[in-house]
Amino acid sequence: MTLWYLARAAGLIAFLAATGSVVLGALASTGHRADDRSRDRRVLRQLAHRSAAVVTVAMLGLHVVLVVTDSFVDLSVPGALVPFTAGYRGFALGLGTLAAYSLAAVAVSGAARGRLAASARSARHWRALHASAYVVWLLSLGHGILAGTDTGRWWTWVLYAGCAAAVAGALVARLVVADRHESTSPLAAARRQLTTGGVR
Amino acid sequence: MRIEVDWTRCDGHGLCARLLPEKVGLDEWGFPVIDTPEIGDDLVPHARRAVGACPALALRLVPG
Amino acid sequence: MLETHPTVSRLLTAPAGTPRHRNQDELVGLAQQVRLLGRGGAGFPVATKLAAMPRGRAVQVLVNGSESEPASQKDRTLMRQAPHLVLDGALLVARALDTRHVTVLVHDPGATDALTRAVRERSDASRVRVVAHAGGFVSGEVRAAIRLVDGAPAVPPGRRVLPHESGVGGAPTFASNVETFAQLALLSSLGADGYAAIGSAAEPGTTLLTLVGDVSGPGVVEVPTGLPLAALLPGQDTDPRPVLIGGYHGSWVSDIRDLRVERPGLREAGLPLNAGVVARLSNDTCALAEVVAVSTWLAGQSAGQCGPCFFGLPAVARDAYALLHGRPSTADLDRRVAQLPGRGACAHPDGAAMFIRTALTTMTAEVEEHRRHGTCGRPWLQELPTGPAPAVRSAS
Ligand code: SF4
Ligand code: SF4
């Protein structure tokens, strides 16, 4: 029974850390002000983004190991590895399995970021791959709501709603800032002209 | 090792200058000024951090 | 006027026709024997470039005739007057590399017509593609030219790619300036000894130049290499004035007494000949205004890819304009010019910096006059062209 509590706690912390990492990641490319203090804030935001990501991965690993080894619910190793084959809350656990796999891909892409900067094309692919973190977050939200033992208690709803608001807010901020930057930065405008037929 | 900027991608965010001030200065528009791109062994970890921090994926550490 | 300097007419009047076949090794050997250098900007040894090429049907040959510098006329003159010789050279290279893919990139409408007509006139050029474009200065840079031919924006890529590894359509590409191809055709028909019968030892043969401003006969000339530069600039010893060598990416120099028209020697002196523009201003025009006009033009040619070039060149042009109108300090200008080199995806900022920096250091008297009085009293006569290129003057 103790393991079961630990497993739930690890899962919850993983979700909270994932939320933090997604929010910080979305905000990573906001703040185009050209003074050293805002540059330093961006560096710190990046650092926090990465740290939260590391916590997410670690807690998720713990969560998976504990859930499989615990005897309170009967979850086999193949049931955990292959999505939607677990006997206990099959659909909800399937979401969790998918989330874990996509998180692995996102984490690997994050770790290999420097190496993937080699060409313009791979940099574009990198962005697309890494942006699947938003999908990971949605999957884990679904997994948490559907599989969570505590779902239904008032504090879980406050928590999920709060996290969802934070992610949505950060995403909007990112899009707005990117848009404003595109329209106010002359270099961004010139580059866009180059790629959208301003050839001659 | 040598640090290289892909100028077609650099947005002038200037983060690299905060993480590798020994090598990277900034011009009046926030774009890096690198007088000697060669990175000594002692600075390689810092250079890697700068490469990792560049929001535009514009920096690269290359051998030589 | 033309009698006053020792021009030759070898390239522009050479007989053309289907060239005899040379294999890659023969062609490399010939180019090596006469130390043939590329006639575009960089002056790279042709033999080295050719030897690095793989052979086969996928290989591409790109003839760069985009000549986008308004002061230069030599490529369009060559294509208009000797289109068959250019095609000879291109087909010679293509055959040596076992390919039939030849693309000629042209900017000038007259040259486009001449080449298109020449392609139709011969039976061995059915696969030659003539691509006309209206791009700016930077689009003449070889990697930008490759992207232009591929239908991409005509700007250089951010990472270094070598055309002989990945050029047109991603295929290995032998790319060079039109004059290089014409010289190769001539070299193949004359043989190494015949080709080297004139010119200097370091770079035998002839070269095309475009003479601009107060020179002996402005326009395109063909001269034997090794010719003293002074032969093209009468009166330079009694009335020494800054001479521009290498066009708008080139340098101004006052003392030309030891200089000869020869790429290796000029490069050693730190004065790359680039595409072969040599200019000298008359005493009637405001030299600083000419320099400011070219600086402004150069700023407008930044492709807008790279921040330091996109922001730096216009700032430098504004500083130069302020100096023209009497700003006493050149500190901002000097600092901004010094920051340009090496900070772009192509050599445009480097070339522009070279042009402006050497202008300021050679035109000290003019600069001083403008700093003091805001004018030198002379009008701006636009001796250095910056607009659409003026009508071509024939070389012969
Ligand atoms: S961090 Fe990257 S984008 Fe920012 S100035 Fe440095 S190289 Fe350019
Ligand atoms: S250096 Fe200037 S001209 Fe060259 S690609 Fe960059 S922006 Fe364009």
Side-chain angles (χ1 to χ4, degrees):
Chain A
M1 230 12 213
T2 330
L3 281 188
W4 180 240
Y5 282 113
L6 279 179
R8 281 159 58 196
L12 196 63
I13 296 172
F15 176 72
L16 288 174
T19 304
S21 188
V22 166
V23 166
L24 289 163
L27 295 180
S29 55
T30 59
H32 288 279
R33 258 186 306 140
D35 60 87
D36 284 348
R37 278 191 41 211
S38 68
R39 286 188 188 116
D40 288 346
R41 272 204 298 277
R42 288 187 71 176
V43 171
L44 286 177
R45 225 153 39 216
Q46 276 187 8
L47 202 66
H49 164 69
R50 277 171 212 175
S51 313
V54 170
V55 172
T56 308
V57 172
M59 282 299 145
L60 176 69
L62 191 64
H63 175 69
V64 172
V65 170
L66 289 175
V67 166
V68 173
T69 47
D70 175 58
S71 52
F72 179 68
V73 292
D74 185 20
L75 181 61
S76 66
V77 172
L81 287 181
V82 185
F84 310 114
T85 58
Y88 171 79
R89 298 195 179 176
F91 179 71
L93 257 68
L95 290 182
T97 308
L98 281 184
Y101 286 145
S102 355
L103 178 69
V106 170
V108 167
S109 78
R113 187 174 188 272
R115 240 146 311 187
L116 287 171
S119 78
R121 201 178 313 143
S122 64
R124 262 200 305 282
H125 292 160
W126 184 86
R127 285 234 157 74
L129 181 60
H130 204 66
S132 62
Y134 295 111
V135 178
V136 174
W137 183 83
L138 273 179
L139 287 172
S140 60
L141 178 67
H143 169 76
I145 291 175
L146 295 176
T149 322
D150 299 311
T151 299
R153 303 205 187 175
W154 66 270
W155 62 266
T156 59
W157 289 117
V158 171
L159 196 110
Y160 288 136
C163 287
V167 168
L171 197 58
V172 168
R174 180 195 187 119
L175 295 177
V176 168
V177 167
D179 199 52
R180 200 184 313 137
H181 178 68
E182 279 278 294
S183 55
T184 54
S185 150
L187 182 62
R191 284 181 178 158
R192 195 177 44 240
Q193 245 245 314
L194 280 177
T195 50
T196 54
V199 179
R200 18 208 81 161
Chain B
M1 298 294 256
R2 225 156 25 84
I3 194 147
E4 260 185 23
V5 183
D6 179 342
W7 295 104
T8 66
R9 271 203 242 150
C10 171
D11 271 336
H13 296 297
L15 302 197
C16 48
R18 302 302 293 167
L19 288 163
L20 193 61
E22 297 87 346
K23 282 281 161 188
V24 185
L26 294 178
D27 67 14
E28 58 202 288
W29 300 281
F31 293 93
V33 180
I34 303 171
D35 288 330
T36 50
E38 292 76 22
I39 304 287
D41 290 344
D42 49 327
L43 281 180
V44 166
H46 295 272
R48 275 196 211 293
R49 219 161 292 149
V51 169
C54 172
L57 284 166
L59 282 178
R60 225 170 34 145
L61 205 57
V62 294
Chain C
M1 281 286 260
L2 282 179
E3 309 79 60
T4 55
H5 56 69
T7 58
V8 287
S9 196
R10 193 165 84 162
L11 200 64
L12 290 170
T13 54
T18 300
R20 69 176 260 224
H21 179 71
R22 302 271 189 182
N23 66 33
Q24 187 178 9
D25 291 343
E26 284 174 321
L27 216 48
V28 169
L30 282 170
Q32 206 151 33
Q33 280 177 57
V34 302
R35 288 176 282 280
L36 186 63
L37 301 174
R39 301 301 168 91
F44 196 75
V46 174
T48 312
K49 207 193 264 188
L50 201 53
M53 285 297 299
R55 280 196 303 273
R57 274 188 310 186
V59 167
Q60 297 273 349
V61 174
L62 178 63
V63 183
N64 190 355
S66 41
E67 190 170 62
S68 28
E69 175 169 350
S72 182
Q73 303 279 322
K74 59 113 176 160
D75 288 343
R76 69 201 67 189
T77 302
L78 177 63
M79 289 183 283
R80 286 173 177 204
Q81 293 194 13
H84 281 291
L85 190 68
V86 172
L87 292 176
D88 279 359
L91 293 167
L92 178 75
V93 173
R95 261 182 235 126
L97 298 176
D98 296 335
T99 182
R100 299 182 65 182
H101 300 294
V102 175
T103 309
V104 192
L105 183 65
V106 202
H107 179 80
D108 172 63
T112 312
D113 291 348
L115 277 167
T116 316
R117 216 174 312 123
V119 165
R120 258 188 258 122
E121 276 164 17
R122 51 202 289 168
S123 57
D124 58 349
S126 56
R127 300 283 290 273
V128 173
R129 190 158 62 116
V130 178
V131 177
H133 82 97
F137 194 20
V138 172
S139 57
E141 202 254 6
V142 66
R143 292 168 307 152
I146 285 169
R147 294 185 74 180
L148 197 148
V149 167
D150 282 342
V155 287
R159 301 269 188 233
R160 250 169 72 82
V161 283
L162 297 169
H164 74 257
E165 282 164 6
S166 173
V168 176
T173 300
F174 180 85
S176 197
N177 167 270
V178 264
E179 187 191 338
T180 315
F181 285 95
Q183 296 282 4
L184 271 170
L186 194 68
L187 169 63
S188 173
S189 65
L190 294 179
D193 290 342
Y195 184 91
I198 50 174
S200 75
E203 191 199 14
T206 67
T207 192
L208 296 179
L209 298 175
T210 312
L211 304 181
V212 175
D214 184 20
V215 289
S216 71
V220 176
V221 291
E222 183 178 2
V223 298
T225 54
L227 180 77
L229 211 55
L232 303 168
L233 302 157
Q236 179 71 11
D237 42 350
T238 51
D239 173 20
R241 271 172 277 158
V243 174
L244 175 65
I245 298 173
Y248 296 168
H249 279 174
S251 11
W252 293 91
V253 49
S254 294
D255 183 1
I256 60 157
R257 274 170 300 182
D258 299 330
L259 299 179
R260 292 170 181 279
V261 180
E262 179 204 270
R263 285 177 170 79
L266 286 174
R267 183 182 300 171
E268 227 165 85
L271 308 163
L273 187 55
N274 297 333
V277 171
V278 174
R280 184 176 61 174
L281 300 172
S282 75
N283 282 322
D284 306 325
T285 187
C286 170
L288 211 52
E290 300 281 350
V291 169
V292 169
V294 173
S295 311
T296 308
W297 182 82
L298 286 166
Q301 295 302 307
S302 163
Q305 280 207 108
C306 317
C309 174
F310 180 73
F311 292 111
L313 286 182
V316 161
R318 280 193 297 274
D319 289 341
Y321 183 83
L323 172 66
L324 180 70
H325 291 288
R327 182 192 283 177
S329 160
T330 59
D332 285 346
L333 178 56
D334 294 339
R335 174 177 51 81
R336 290 186 176 128
V337 169
Q339 271 184 356
L340 286 176
R343 295 174 73 227
C346 75
H348 182 54
D350 306 61
M354 172 92 110
F355 178 92
I356 297 163
R357 190 173 50 75
T358 54
L360 293 176
T361 50
T362 52
M363 300 178 185
T364 43
E366 286 88 344
V367 167
E368 207 36 50
E369 236 174 311
H370 279 268
R371 278 176 55 178
R372 286 193 183 188
H373 312 296
T375 173
C376 62
R378 284 184 289 262
W380 170 45
L381 299 178
Q382 302 192 41
E383 291 182 6
L384 298 178
T386 51
V392 177
R393 286 199 33 167
S394 119
S396 44

